[in-house]
Amino acid sequence: MAIIGIVAIDRNLAIGKDGKLPWHYSSDMKFFKQTTVGNAVVMGRHTWETLGSPLKDRMNIVLSSRTDGASGKAVTLPNVRSVLNLAGALTRDLYVIGGAKVYQAFLPHLNRWIVTEIPLSVEDADTFMPSNFLEGFELYEVRQLDDELRAKFYERVSEARP
Ligand SMILES: NC(=O)c1ccc[n+]([C@@H]2O[C@H](COP(=O)([O-])OP(=O)(O)OC[C@H]3O[C@@H](n4cnc5c(N)ncnc54)[C@H](OP(=O)(O)O)[C@@H]3O)[C@@H](O)[C@H]2O)c1
């Protein structure tokens, strides 16, 4: 079982604007689906609320301090530790799918990152990855998703700082 962050970032590390993804690339959506299907995904309540319904063929976990942050449509857990306990009992991988608060909370626990580079500089973006999010990780694969997009795969090479 591995814990893997999967994110799409623009040239300035932006990931969101006005509570939404500020772009739509079908090649990246397809890649995201192919990569995560059959596994568990964990997301923050804000990201959950942008989906409308659970992601198909995946165990959907929503991180929220509210007792039923996902209105019975997904597993709601109140903290990172409880997600890690559940993930430890799974034979599948756990994909951390955002948003910013959840990436930050899981950062010390990630074994790998999958990062799609979006060739844009989104104006007035309001949600960003921290500049050091790939610290301690090393690139091991680059995959071209279409003419414009590529996904980069990173694995952890040094322990996360406490
Ligand atoms: N580019 C990408 O790949 C990508 C991927 C995903 C999302 N996004 C974008 O990111 C933005 C949303 O990010 P966000 O940071 O605002 O929201 P978020 O991380 O999706 O959700 C935040 C909420 O999740 C819960 N949460 C987060 N960390 C927690 C913890 N450690 N313990 C308990 N609960 C926790 C809290 O819910 P409660 O308030 O219920 O306690 C918190 O208010 C949107 O614009 C979205 O489109 C981009």
Side-chain angles (χ1 to χ4, degrees):
M1 198 278 300
I3 305 177
I4 304 159
I6 183 165
V7 65
I9 56 171
D10 86 347
R11 293 193 172 111
N12 306 310
L13 304 181
I15 66 164
K17 180 178 172 178
D18 300 330
K20 291 184 235 146
L21 264 189
W23 48 72
H24 180 84
Y25 284 93
S26 54
S27 58
D28 193 46
M29 300 309 284
K30 194 171 152 199
F31 171 67
F32 175 82
K33 186 174 177 188
Q34 282 170 347
T35 305
T36 56
V37 157
N39 295 290
V41 293
V42 60
M43 70 199 92
R45 182 178 55 80
H46 296 166
T47 297
W48 164 258
E49 285 173 357
T50 67
L51 293 184
S53 57
L55 295 172
K56 278 193 198 141
D57 304 323
R58 283 150 278 192
M59 177 192 275
N60 286 238
I61 304 168
V62 177
L63 203 53
S64 174
S65 58
R66 303 180 182 187
T67 46
D68 193 10
S71 315
K73 293 183 184 164
V75 179
T76 304
L77 292 173
N79 51 48
V80 171
R81 179 47 53 198
S82 54
V83 178
L84 295 176
N85 287 344
L86 173 62
L90 300 175
T91 51
R92 308 175 270 184
D93 290 332
L94 174 70
Y95 283 88
V96 178
I97 66 166
K101 291 194 184 72
V102 169
Y103 290 132
Q104 184 75 54
F106 277 90
L107 188 52
H109 306 287
L110 296 184
N111 306 113
R112 299 203 287 275
W113 271 113
I114 303 175
V115 182
T116 300
E117 293 182 341
I118 304 294
L120 299 173
S121 295
V122 174
E123 252 181 66
D124 301 324
D126 55 22
T127 314
F128 293 84
M129 294 302 285
S131 58
N132 65 345
F133 81 104
L134 289 171
E135 213 169 81
F137 291 81
E138 196 171 271
L139 182 69
Y140 68 94
E141 188 184 336
V142 179
R143 200 178 302 170
Q144 203 72 34
L145 304 184
D146 64 17
D147 290 349
E148 286 184 282
L149 297 194
R150 57 190 184 169
K152 291 186 171 174
F153 293 69
Y154 298 85
E155 65 186 346
R156 187 181 287 285
V157 289
S158 60
E159 285 303 308
R161 291 203 200 110

